[in-house]
Amino acid sequence: MSTEDRRGQNLKDEESREMTVNDSLSVMTKEEVGYGRGGERLTVNLKESNIFEQGDQLSCPGDLAAGDIYTHAFHGYLSTILDPESWTIPKTVWEAKNRGVLFDVGHGQGSFNWTVLEKCAAEGFWPDTISTDLHSGNLQGPAYDLPTVMTKLLHVGMPFVEIIKAVTITPARALGISDKVGVLAPGREADITIVKIEDCDAWLEDSAGQRRRIRKRIVPVAVFKGGKLFETRRPVPWPNVETGKNLATQWRSQVVRDSEEPKF
């Protein structure tokens, strides 16, 4: 395997036996990543390759196993989880979900597309875990914070109880720490966030500058870490117009997108 191929492969410590692979997975074979030789769990991030079978190359999510995580699942680039022609969820994606592959939001700066999420919602395909992939490039939009990403799922109809599971017990189980966190129970760590759903009227952008009008949002009321109460702040107002303008330059690179180019 070349140095370029290895760039996207990060084999973590032997105890966790987890492997994270990015777009270079599209040129890796099953043998090269060592898949199936010791129970490794994969966390896969694909944006520019194709999800369908490619000979002896690792097919994602076709060759993923129960417990593997397919993150950045709702972007609109070439490897969107939707069929790029019909904009429906392919059989291989449904089969992966049914055998226990976990689909994660991983919002980030470029990995969330309203159109993709709405098509998935129409088929009842919800993420198993909701994450922000928060960093300096998306803190002021389009991700903002975890309650905002949760709000996006609420907007398209994901049941609130499933949203809560997707930020608590399911990721805790995926990380192997559900004996410590993820549920309110005796013996667990007292890490608690109290949230509420409140009315609002604001536009909220995705990673391609596409916007939706939001009428309900999830906001934090109180946060406890190890039983200690921490101060909570009001969420950052959205949309961020300047961020939206920059994101809109990515609209034409989406294979699944709104019919009209976003304008700010």
Side-chain angles (χ1 to χ4, degrees), residues 12-18 41:
K12 297 183 179 179
D13 60 89
E14 289 295 325
E15 182 178 355
S16 66
R17 294 196 305 177
E18 293 183 359
R41 290 181 297 164

Side-chain angles (χ1 to χ4, degrees), residues 10-221:
N10 175 27
L11 185 59
K12 297 183 179 179
D13 60 89
E14 289 295 325
E15 182 178 355
S16 66
R17 294 196 305 177
E18 293 183 359
M19 186 182 296
T20 301
V21 186
N22 71 7
D23 286 15
S24 60
L25 185 63
S26 61
V27 294
M28 288 182 177
T29 66
K30 300 173 188 180
E31 182 179 0
E32 285 174 326
V33 297
Y35 185 69
R37 295 184 297 175
E40 297 92 345
R41 290 181 297 164
L42 293 176
T43 299
V44 178
N45 161 21
L46 294 177
K47 283 180 65 177
E48 300 298 342
S49 58
N50 195 292
I51 66 172
F52 300 108
E53 297 291 340
Q54 301 180 57
D56 68 341
Q57 293 176 13
L58 192 64
S59 171
C60 296
D63 286 316
L64 299 184
D68 290 342
I69 300 172
Y70 190 108
T71 190
H72 300 323
F74 299 95
H75 66 74
Y77 293 99
L78 177 62
S79 62
T80 171
I81 60 172
L82 298 181
D83 184 302
E85 299 296 329
S86 66
W87 290 14
T88 58
I89 299 174
K91 180 182 177 182
T92 184
V93 174
W94 276 115
E95 289 176 343
K97 189 172 183 64
N98 290 336
R99 68 173 174 269
V101 174
L102 301 175
F103 287 82
D104 174 60
V105 173
H107 191 300
Q109 186 170 358
S111 300
F112 179 87
N113 180 301
W114 276 120
T115 320
V116 173
L117 183 63
E118 289 164 350
K119 295 295 182 182
C120 290
E123 295 193 44
F125 187 97
W126 304 116
D128 299 285
T129 56
I130 299 173
S131 61
T132 60
D133 188 15
L134 200 63
H135 53 76
S136 60
N138 60 37
L139 190 60
Q140 300 299 320
Y144 295 98
D145 50 55
L146 183 57
T148 296
V149 177
M150 294 164 65
T151 292
K152 292 182 175 184
L153 275 299
L154 184 71
H155 177 73
V156 297
M158 186 172 180
F160 183 63
V161 66
E162 297 303 320
I163 292 173
I164 297 302
K165 288 180 181 178
V167 296
T168 54
I169 185 59
T170 304
R173 287 172 177 164
L175 294 172
I177 56 174
S178 59
D179 60 329
K180 300 180 178 66
V181 297
V183 296
L184 298 178
R188 303 300 203 277
E189 296 181 16
D191 296 346
I192 304 166
T193 300
I194 301 173
V195 299
K196 68 176 181 179
I197 299 174
E198 67 177 25
D199 295 333
C200 67
D201 186 2
W203 293 89
L204 185 54
E205 71 272 22
D206 68 5
S207 298
Q210 303 179 141
R211 295 187 292 177
R212 298 294 186 268
R213 193 171 187 175
I214 306 300
R215 300 291 192 172
K216 300 282 186 181
R217 71 183 299 171
I218 298 172
V219 296
V221 175

